[in-house]
Amino acid sequence: MLALGALDLAEAHGVELALVGDAERLASLVGTRSHRVVGAARAITHDDSVRDALRGKIDSSMRRAITLVAAGEADAVVSAGNTGALMALSRHLLPMLPGIDRPAIVKPFVGRGGARCWVLDLGANLSCTAEQLHRFGRMGAAVAEAAGGVTAPRVGLLNVGVEHSKGPREVRAAAERMAADEGLSFAGFVEANELFDGKVDVVVCDGFAGNVALKATEGAAAMARHLLGTELGGARLVRLLLAGRLRRLAAAYNPQAYNGATFVGLQGVVVKSHGGADRVGFREAVGQAVRDLESDLVGKIVSRLAGQSTEREGKE
């Protein structure tokens, strides 16, 4: 059960939880520990109408969890539920940051030498305007600074080629905006095969392209784990000689170890866990929320966006 992963994280880091869902089952898991249990009639399924969820016709655990953050009774929410419903309810119940009209999903892709590249949007917005992509670049840079300690993050724009003439109109228009932004270190277009080579610190894209890239990456990692097990399955001596390295290699291709993507653009921390997460994966997602709070991610995004507004006013 995913709640066990949250409890594991809480015990290791001294975090107080509010677990939302089936009150009886959650209470049995919590036992004598001092975590709060909030009952909810049911979870939102992929068959439920997002419109009904927004109107409050579904007494869902997701809605109650976000309401706790909106009321100041919790600092963050972590959910493995329906992504569309999570985005819609978060926008409905939590204020947006100044100048932001849509949240974006962001998470780091780990590349060569452990270098991280924060990619957004990973599925919250299937299509985006040039201005929205520009704002995502600003938010992504703030994430790289807050979560990764990167000074002057290099920001790239995902495209089908690096030439200025290539790509959809909105992507080309976004590139012009980002290149003219003196507060952004814009590195130009980036292709999907460059996400892991350390060329840039942030990659901006619409949610359709970002989600395809994410799922393709997860599939490639799963295939790599399969091939590793198949090729070395019978090589007992090799496994014994390389045991430590093989464990590290297998861990590097384990998507559960990198679970948890943050919705940025909201006045609150919302983390989306993969729907197929296991106990270890959900623990990592809760850990992502804790790291976002400790780094004051929302505050740093606000500061960067405020800097953008100041620059524009000065030019006017």
Side-chain angles (χ1 to χ4, degrees):
M1 180 180 261
L2 300 184
L4 293 174
L7 290 168
D8 291 342
L9 187 284
E11 185 173 343
H13 295 275
V15 175
E16 184 177 347
L17 299 175
L19 298 173
V20 187
D22 185 320
E24 185 176 345
R25 294 179 65 189
L26 292 174
S28 68
L29 293 175
V30 171
T32 59
R33 288 170 286 196
S34 61
H35 303 298
R36 179 182 178 186
V37 173
V38 178
R42 67 182 184 87
I44 294 175
T45 70
H46 291 282
D47 295 325
D48 285 324
S49 164
V50 173
R51 180 177 298 178
D52 287 344
L54 285 173
R55 291 177 177 177
K57 292 183 178 181
I58 302 174
D59 181 20
S60 67
S61 53
M62 184 184 292
R63 186 184 186 94
R64 291 205 173 193
I66 299 170
T67 298
L68 292 177
V69 176
E73 297 179 36
D75 297 311
V77 61
V78 182
S79 173
N82 184 306
T83 303
L86 183 62
M87 185 190 78
L89 284 169
S90 296
R91 287 184 65 189
H92 180 63
L93 298 171
L94 298 174
M96 299 295 298
L97 295 181
I100 301 298
D101 60 350
R102 292 187 183 183
I105 302 176
V106 61
K107 72 174 295 182
F109 285 26
V110 181
R112 298 175 185 175
R116 290 181 291 176
C117 174
W118 281 266
V119 183
L120 73 167
D121 176 25
L122 293 176
N125 309 278
L126 296 186
S127 62
C128 298
T129 66
E131 177 61 21
Q132 286 165 346
L133 291 171
H134 180 201
R135 289 170 180 167
F136 289 173
R138 277 276 179 168
M139 291 196 292
V143 172
E145 290 175 343
V150 181
T151 302
R154 300 160 296 170
V155 180
L157 192 58
L158 190 64
N159 202 354
V160 295
V162 297
E163 296 87 351
H164 296 296
S165 60
K166 285 193 172 182
R169 181 183 61 184
E170 293 293 347
V171 172
R172 287 183 277 115
E176 293 179 1
R177 286 175 175 269
M178 295 166 77
D181 184 348
E182 296 178 359
L184 207 61
S185 180
F186 182 55
F189 292 137
V190 174
E191 295 185 79
N193 62 342
E194 299 174 307
L195 292 176
F196 299 93
D197 65 3
K199 178 179 179 180
V200 294
D201 305 297
V202 178
V203 168
V204 175
C205 54
D206 62 49
F208 183 87
N211 195 262
V212 169
L214 176 63
K215 297 295 174 56
T217 298
E218 291 174 347
M223 188 61 189
R225 285 170 63 85
H226 169 73
L227 291 175
L228 183 64
T230 300
E231 294 300 320
L232 298 179
R236 185 171 182 273
L237 178 59
V238 173
R239 293 203 315 273
L240 290 174
L241 292 173
L242 301 177
R245 291 189 178 187
L246 290 176
R247 282 195 298 271
R248 290 192 293 272
L249 184 59
Y253 285 110
N254 181 7
Q256 300 293 346
Y258 304 102
N259 185 42
T262 304
F263 277 41
V264 290
L266 300 163
Q267 291 188 27
V269 172
V270 178
V271 172
K272 174 66 174 73
S273 165
H274 196 292
D278 59 15
R279 180 172 177 171
V280 172
F282 199 72
R283 169 183 168 141
E284 179 61 24
V286 178
Q288 181 62 55
V290 172
R291 291 190 292 272
D292 289 344
L293 291 169
E294 291 177 342
S295 66
D296 186 26
L297 180 63
V298 174
K300 288 179 178 175
I301 292 174
V302 169
S303 295
R304 179 170 271 274
L305 293 175
Q308 180 184 27
S309 298
T310 302
E311 289 169 10
R312 285 182 177 177
E313 290 173 1
K315 290 179 179 180
E316 292 175 357

